[in-house]
Amino acid sequence: MIGLLASAQGAEAAASSPMPTTGYTSQPIGHYEFCKRYATSCEANATSAALKLTPRIWARIVDVNAAVNNNIFPRTDEEIYGVAEYWAYPTSEGDCEDFALLKQYMLEREGIPASALLVTVVKQTNGDGHAVLTLRTDQGDFVLDNLETQILPWQATSYTYLKRQSANDAGKWVGIVDDRNLLVGSVR
């Protein structure tokens, strides 16, 4: 399958693994307010299974990711709405979580289950917060990011993963165990 994914994206894709999660955690305030406006987007999911990838599905995911990244102009919530945090479906401009929400919306319309499309909060190497869309698949978890043209396995990114939507309920969030950068000292 990885070879099929690589040819559909035009770049070599590495194998991924599922992102390890913990129990429920706090919902970002922007998502809480978003759920008040779009309640049907924040309900329990019909299934919690990972997506079975096929070449056709992967090609559609690549197309949607590129379309959103190429057609939405990046601007902060402060610049657009005059507030620090406002999650919304963008039409022409938006910030990172808006890109993720639009990709999620469009891919759900393509038939991909909500349980496989999870908005995820990460920390960039410079310490800034950021949001991406995690795609849960039978090939592992992949990241759709407005700062990266390629869809990458989550562990191939430089982010520290903090939390994401629950696969069981789009209105709830779970913690992420991101222990990729833990240093192990020698025992004497």
Side-chain angles (χ1 to χ4, degrees), residues 4-179:
L4 295 172
L5 298 181
S7 64
Q9 189 167 325
E12 196 167 321
S16 190
S17 63
M19 197 180 285
T21 60
T22 63
Y24 290 120
T25 190
S26 61
Q27 179 182 24
I29 187 65
H31 190 253
Y32 172 80
E33 295 293 332
F34 172 84
C35 288
K36 287 174 34 180
R37 292 189 314 277
Y38 300 97
T40 58
S41 296
C42 299
E43 297 176 340
N45 294 324
T47 177
S48 63
L51 174 68
K52 180 170 176 35
L53 277 181
T54 66
R56 184 190 69 75
I57 290 171
W58 183 255
R60 285 305 304 144
I61 291 165
V62 169
D63 288 347
V64 166
N65 187 60
V68 173
N69 284 354
N70 292 331
N71 291 301
I72 301 299
F73 183 77
R75 290 190 62 204
T76 67
D77 290 332
E78 192 70 47
E79 293 169 322
I80 301 168
Y81 305 107
V83 296
E85 198 64 28
Y86 189 84
W87 292 34
Y89 294 118
T91 55
S92 60
E93 58 188 7
D95 67 357
C96 57
E97 74 274 349
D98 303 333
F99 279 80
L101 288 167
L102 183 58
K103 292 173 188 182
Q104 182 183 58
Y105 175 85
M106 292 175 67
L107 290 169
E108 282 181 34
R109 294 325 165 264
E110 294 281 336
I112 297 175
S115 62
L117 299 165
L118 308 173
V119 178
T120 305
V121 175
V122 301
K123 186 168 48 170
Q124 298 178 74
T125 55
N126 65 4
D128 289 347
H130 185 52
V132 297
L133 184 65
T134 296
L135 174 69
R136 291 180 56 243
T137 79
D138 62 346
Q139 302 290 314
D141 292 351
F142 294 88
V143 173
L144 287 71
D145 186 357
N146 68 301
L147 300 179
E148 170 63 52
T149 57
Q150 291 188 347
I151 298 171
L152 297 173
W154 76 274
Q155 66 272 31
T157 70
S158 61
Y159 300 133
T160 300
Y161 289 78
L162 304 174
K163 56 184 158 183
R164 74 177 189 196
Q165 287 177 293
S166 166
N168 299 320
D169 189 325
K172 296 187 183 208
W173 287 66
V174 295
I176 299 170
V177 180
D178 188 355
D179 58 3

